[in-house]
Amino acid sequence: MKSPLLSLPGAVPAEGRDEGVAAHYGDLFREQRALADGTGLVDLSHRGVITVSGKDRLGWLHLLLTQHVSELPPGEATEALILSAHGHIEHALYLVDDGETVWAHVEPGTREALLAYLESMKFFYQVDIADRTDEFAVVFLPAGSIAEVPEGVVVRETPQGRDLFLPRAALESYAAANGPAIGVLAYEALRVEAHRPRLGFETDHRTIPHELGLIGAAVHLQKGCYRGQETVARVHNLGKPPRRLVFLHLDGSEVHLPGHGTPVRLAADGADGRQLGFVTTSARHHELGPIALALVKRNVPVDAELMAGSTAAAQEVVVEP
């Protein structure tokens, strides 16, 4: 779904999973600084929007999700995962309940499979699941923003800022009144800086929540059964995850950033060394320079100098080994 904000001056379309919105509007670092200062807005209208209404909605979702939501207060933001039977991450949902309906936004390209799964699990519960992507666009306002929220718009407020479920027909006029519009590259750079994982970037077909530091943030350890809970409990109580998320400071002299999937090795072993992990997301940050997130084997020493492809990389611990 192509955003109308792509018609703004300087807009450069994003590619890949973020296709449909702007990567930037001509000045990546200016846009990052604006976000960090609490100004502007990010067009996330390519994300899927799903609602669940009905009197059983919270109790029913509680049975399916990794998060404790059976008593979720209206207006309180949370995030949750859906896992496979083996505990691997399949879906990520960013939720808020308005007192009558649970609103969630999800990664582009995932809503069809998620809707199919939710529909298959309705059984006798009184819930109504709806795809609202054609009607509502997600807009992000950074923490500190003084932009007004139109009456009746559902808001999901977090320490990072506010996610607005804005009527799609109002997107262009709202951006004109509350801009400047900021591209997803700036949003992603600040996400990497904050070590926040993203489905499809920091995850693959075998990622478990412990590897990304999602226990607590998206996985509640004291709740009833859900699919994949056995793996979550076993790893938490008896073992360690096989991999861990790390933050990388990349050599700033390199022209190109290492892309998603770039092998990570010990610098001492050189280009022919054994692969110990891979880059998940890389970005150019307005203060830190080139940075990245990566998944590496748990036993990689925390003080080891690494190479991301041909780029030297110093690591910071995100998930303890």
Side-chain angles (χ1 to χ4, degrees), residues 14-240:
E15 299 178 346
R17 192 178 291 264
D18 287 327
E19 183 179 4
V21 295
H24 62 84
Y25 293 90
D27 191 337
L28 175 61
F29 290 157
R30 178 190 59 78
E31 293 171 35
Q32 284 187 36
R33 288 190 290 269
L35 270 190
D37 290 341
T39 59
L41 56 84
V42 182
D43 174 14
L44 299 177
S45 61
H46 61 317
R47 295 184 65 84
V49 175
I50 292 172
T51 60
V52 181
S53 55
K55 70 174 186 177
D56 294 337
R57 66 189 184 284
L58 293 177
W60 176 72
L61 285 170
H62 187 78
L63 298 173
L64 304 179
L65 304 180
T66 56
Q67 190 58 274
H68 197 300
V69 297
S70 60
E71 299 170 2
L72 184 67
E76 182 175 309
T78 191
E79 58 185 274
L81 307 173
I82 290 177
L83 307 180
S84 73
H86 298 292
H88 301 136
I89 298 173
E90 291 190 342
H91 294 284
L93 298 86
Y94 301 86
L95 307 161
V96 67
D97 184 79
D98 67 4
E100 297 181 351
T101 300
V102 174
W103 294 74
H105 63 81
V106 300
E107 283 293 329
T110 66
R111 61 189 169 102
E112 293 86 355
L114 175 58
L115 285 164
Y117 173 70
L118 294 177
E119 287 288 349
S120 74
M121 300 300 292
K122 283 178 64 172
F123 301 117
F124 54 85
Y125 291 94
Q126 296 186 37
V127 294
D128 182 29
I129 306 157
D131 181 358
R132 310 295 295 277
T133 310
D134 288 343
E135 303 168 67
F136 292 91
V138 180
V139 171
F140 174 75
L141 300 176
S145 170
I146 60 172
E148 293 188 4
V149 177
E151 185 177 355
V153 168
V154 175
V155 177
R156 179 180 176 273
E157 186 161 3
T158 72
Q160 291 77 42
R162 290 173 288 172
D163 298 331
L164 276 55
F165 293 88
L166 189 73
R168 191 169 287 274
L171 175 58
E172 200 165 6
S173 61
Y174 186 78
N178 296 280
I182 292 169
V184 291
L185 286 184
Y187 182 81
E188 284 289 280
L190 299 189
R191 177 182 72 81
V192 172
E193 178 194 15
H195 309 161
R196 296 197 305 274
R198 182 178 173 188
L199 182 75
F201 289 77
E202 280 62 58
T203 67
D204 58 19
H205 67 283
R206 58 192 180 97
T207 304
I208 60 175
H210 316 67
E211 297 176 325
L212 304 183
L214 290 174
I215 302 301
V219 179
H220 196 286
L221 293 174
Q222 283 79 46
K223 60 159 289 185
C225 293
Y226 54 88
R227 191 173 70 174
Q229 185 193 27
E230 295 83 357
T231 297
V232 170
R234 183 170 64 251
V235 173
H236 180 75
N237 294 319
L238 302 176
K240 295 283 189 177

